[in-house]
Amino acid sequence: MIKRIAPNLRIAQSSAMTHECGFIFAAMREHYFDDLKVGDRFKSEPLNVTEKQLIEFAHKFDPQMFHLSRKRAERTIFKGLVASGWHTAAMTMRLFVQTLNFAEGAIGLGVDELRWPNVVRPGDVLTVETEIVDLRLSRSRPRFGIIRLRNVTTNQRGEIVQTMLASAMVPRREKFGVPPLGGSE
Amino acid sequence: MIKRIAPNLRIAQSSAMTHECGFIFAAMREHYFDDLKVGDRFKSEPLNVTEKQLIEFAHKFDPQMFHLSRKRAERTIFKGLVASGWHTAAMTMRLFVQTLNFAEGAIGLGVDELRWPNVVRPGDVLTVETEIVDLRLSRSRPRFGIIRLRNVTTNQRGEIVQTMLASAMVPRREKFGVPPLGGSE
């Protein structure tokens, strides 16, 4: 399901390699702040959206008629079931977390320009492309860096279903960070 | 659980009343675009966050160690389990949808300045306050209006756990909108 979108596409195996590729599949590899450069791009595995998951999410978090049942959704502006935008956002997070796989986790600080230009329907297959747009060290926590990234979520036809800019705090490698109290450095 | 935050607080019973109140509880009442004015404010019912729900959401959408298990979360920067920001966003949507209860639903167009200034932990009780910050008619769909709103989500101690600005497309009352094709007007 994953399209080859850069002629020199290859699986990332080392830190040095991550900057040679147009896009990187990196689901298995742990990342730290220091592994990233502005302009790095990553592509997730695909994720299937089922009708059952879509309705289940809606019952819990967005109980509106175009999300809740096929029959009622047919009479709405969407002429059928569509996913809650917050479900698309949550599925995007799942794919992003799997792909970037930050050591000790990525702590979300904020999101801007979250948009849903096309709807997600049951049976769609979503993929997330992440681009690193800014990197800076944390002023208050020297063991962390702040990344700014753009996530674009597309369906199986290449239509964009979600875009956003996000900031997250992620750990630095030990050797780059401040040594622990009582350390020899 | 809901604090009385305006001296003239009362339950909204008619369209005219919605503009007399500092905050309005309106969970049972259907809203249309034409019922709203810039500056209108609404407050949701409270919602309990359980450890089970928090972990379940994390397994599906944000599988990071500070969201997944109490034991592993204790060794992280948060010193305990915290909810995914996307879980907080989804719970906020639930409370917003229940409170504003738009006839035919509210169609999310986009979100800006989504922030999580404090963490959500198991046992927290969340409430959402909504303020209408802008209203305009849809240019392409005369039966709809576009609302811009600010949602602020607080916990039981009054600490803000999420803020955002959102735009949504919501239906107009029939008499304000364009009549159906073949209508007498």
Side-chain angles (χ1 to χ4, degrees):
Chain A
M1 297 305 300
I2 300 177
K3 281 183 296 183
R4 193 177 168 89
I5 50 180
N8 60 341
L9 187 66
R10 56 181 88 161
I11 306 297
Q13 290 171 325
S14 74
S15 180
M17 274 189 66
T18 59
H19 310 305
E20 298 169 25
C21 310
F23 272 89
I24 300 158
F25 296 95
M28 289 300 109
R29 188 163 158 271
E30 273 204 334
H31 280 94
Y32 289 87
F33 175 81
D34 314 278
D35 302 332
L36 300 171
K37 282 191 179 159
V38 172
D40 279 354
R41 299 169 80 188
F42 301 85
K43 188 163 185 176
S44 78
E45 297 286 326
L47 179 71
N48 291 280
V49 184
T50 70
E51 181 175 305
K52 187 173 169 237
Q53 289 164 352
L54 191 157
I55 292 172
E56 187 184 301
F57 188 97
H59 272 284
K60 283 184 185 154
F61 301 116
D62 194 351
Q64 303 198 91
M65 64 182 87
F66 31 70
H67 304 317
L68 282 172
S69 89
R70 207 190 295 185
K71 208 163 187 177
R72 293 179 68 194
E74 275 167 13
R75 297 195 298 267
T76 68
I77 192 170
F78 297 115
K79 313 278 184 216
L81 266 183
V82 296
S84 167
W86 297 106
H87 190 190
T88 303
M91 290 187 285
T92 296
M93 186 63 185
R94 170 61 182 257
L95 291 172
F96 168 74
V97 163
Q98 283 179 341
T99 306
L100 271 292
N101 190 26
F102 282 102
E104 301 166 48
I107 297 162
L109 300 177
V111 170
D112 289 286
E113 300 174 32
L114 176 59
R115 300 289 181 272
W116 298 286
N118 287 288
V119 294
V120 172
R121 296 188 186 268
D124 280 358
V125 182
L126 305 186
T127 315
V128 175
E129 292 173 10
T130 300
E131 182 182 354
I132 307 297
V133 296
D134 191 40
L135 292 165
R136 66 174 178 84
L137 298 178
S138 167
R139 280 182 288 264
S140 57
R141 297 178 183 275
R143 277 205 61 247
F144 289 85
I146 312 291
I147 58 170
R148 183 92 171 147
L149 56 95
R150 188 185 313 277
N151 270 343
V152 177
T153 311
T154 51
N155 66 19
Q156 68 280 10
R157 291 179 296 279
E159 295 159 346
I160 294 174
V161 296
Q162 185 185 282
T163 56
M164 67 172 188
L165 274 166
S167 296
M169 191 169 79
V170 299
R172 304 195 67 192
R173 287 191 185 278
E174 206 66 52
K175 61 179 173 176
F176 290 99
V178 163
L181 283 173
S184 58
E185 286 173 76
Chain B
M1 299 303 301
I2 300 177
K3 281 184 295 180
R4 194 176 168 87
I5 50 181
N8 60 340
L9 188 65
R10 55 181 90 160
I11 306 296
Q13 290 170 326
S14 73
S15 181
M17 272 189 66
T18 59
H19 310 305
E20 298 169 24
C21 310
F23 272 90
I24 299 160
F25 296 94
M28 289 300 109
R29 188 163 159 272
E30 272 205 334
H31 280 93
Y32 289 86
F33 175 80
D34 314 278
D35 303 332
L36 300 171
K37 282 191 178 156
V38 171
D40 279 353
R41 299 168 81 190
F42 301 86
K43 189 165 183 175
S44 79
E45 297 285 327
L47 178 71
N48 292 280
V49 184
T50 70
E51 181 175 306
K52 188 172 168 239
Q53 289 164 353
L54 192 156
I55 292 172
E56 188 183 301
F57 188 98
H59 272 282
K60 282 184 186 156
F61 300 117
D62 194 350
Q64 303 197 91
M65 65 183 87
F66 30 70
H67 305 317
L68 283 172
S69 89
R70 205 190 296 184
K71 208 163 187 178
R72 292 179 68 193
E74 275 166 13
R75 296 195 299 266
T76 69
I77 192 171
F78 297 114
K79 313 280 184 215
L81 265 183
V82 296
S84 168
W86 298 107
H87 191 191
T88 303
M91 291 187 285
T92 296
M93 185 63 185
R94 170 61 182 256
L95 292 171
F96 168 74
V97 164
Q98 283 178 342
T99 305
L100 273 290
N101 190 25
F102 282 103
E104 303 166 45
I107 297 163
L109 300 177
V111 170
D112 289 285
E113 299 174 32
L114 176 59
R115 300 288 181 273
W116 298 286
N118 287 288
V119 294
V120 172
R121 296 187 186 269
D124 280 358
V125 182
L126 305 186
T127 315
V128 175
E129 292 173 12
T130 300
E131 182 183 355
I132 308 296
V133 295
D134 191 41
L135 293 165
R136 66 174 177 85
L137 298 178
S138 167
R139 279 182 288 266
S140 56
R141 297 178 184 275
R143 279 206 59 247
F144 289 85
I146 312 290
I147 58 171
R148 183 91 171 147
L149 56 95
R150 188 184 313 278
N151 271 343
V152 177
T153 312
T154 50
N155 66 19
Q156 67 280 12
R157 290 180 297 278
E159 296 159 346
I160 294 175
V161 297
Q162 185 184 281
T163 56
M164 67 172 187
L165 274 166
S167 296
M169 190 168 81
V170 299
R172 305 194 68 191
R173 287 191 184 276
E174 207 66 51
K175 61 178 174 177
F176 290 101
V178 163
L181 282 174
S184 59
E185 286 174 78

